[in-house]
Amino acid sequence: MLTETHPNAQWLSDVYRGGAAIASDPNLDEDERERRQKEHAQVIMSRMSPNMIIHTGGVRLTVTAGMDFLTKYHKRRAMLSDVNVQPLGFDQILADDYYGIVHGTFRTARGDVVWTRVGMGAWRFEDGIAVEHWELSNGPKWDEFFLAGDPDFNGSALEFWTRGV
């Protein structure tokens, strides 16, 4: 049964709530924030399989790929936004030995364009290690936001997310 007290749920809570706390802490200067975010990312990555599979958001921009792609994908998303996918709050974070689900509110921004949305992240675990992740959001709006950051692009989703990184 999915619970919020399962160790995988506790890990997901740290991933999302911990990252949000670092991003929104008004007492951190940019250097300290960056240091803590990097440290947080290393802790997260230690519980992710090197064969991790991600299913990105979007319709036209959806990609299913591995860990090498995931690193490029995160960099490209950051290049296309001033505020990447920033978690704002969470309604539920539940997991069991096999699956986890995160339901919350997220914000992404570029210039004056701010996209705040309710979304979900689904996770699959094997032996306490995250092996697969699905980004669940409004696919057409996902495409609209990110394609607007590179309006002249015309190619595959994989080419879009790895362009310039």
Side-chain angles (χ1 to χ4, degrees), residues 11-143:
W11 178 76
L12 288 171
S13 181
D14 185 49
V15 168
Y16 287 92
R17 290 184 174 124
I22 294 167
S24 64
D25 187 338
N27 299 315
L28 300 179
D29 63 33
E30 283 309 307
D31 289 339
E32 181 63 11
R33 184 178 325 283
E34 185 176 327
R35 186 190 70 73
R36 288 188 187 187
Q37 286 174 330
K38 190 179 234 180
E39 190 175 89
H40 183 69
Q42 289 172 339
V43 170
I44 291 167
M45 297 304 285
S46 71
R47 287 232 7 227
M48 288 182 158
S49 169
N51 300 316
M52 177 80 172
I53 298 168
I54 184 166
H55 307 269
T56 67
V59 176
R60 176 168 178 238
L61 295 180
T62 191
V63 172
T64 298
M67 186 60 87
D68 290 339
F69 166 79
L70 182 61
T71 303
K72 292 175 184 174
Y73 170 64
H74 279 272
K75 287 179 185 175
R76 175 72 164 150
R77 272 192 348 201
M79 291 168 58
L80 295 168
S81 58
D82 304 326
V83 176
N84 203 333
V85 177
Q86 177 185 27
L88 299 177
F90 303 96
D91 302 310
Q92 281 192 312
I93 299 177
L94 304 170
D96 64 12
D97 287 344
Y98 307 101
Y99 293 98
I101 194 79
V102 176
H103 184 271
T105 303
F106 301 86
R107 180 172 74 95
T108 304
R110 182 181 46 260
D112 293 338
V113 178
V114 177
W115 180 34
T116 302
R117 66 209 172 269
V118 173
M120 296 177 73
W123 293 80
R124 187 171 66 83
F125 297 95
E126 290 179 2
D127 300 321
I129 301 295
V131 296
E132 200 163 5
H133 173 57
W134 293 262
E135 296 177 324
L136 306 171
S137 189
N138 180 324
K141 289 202 180 269
W142 183 275
D143 291 350

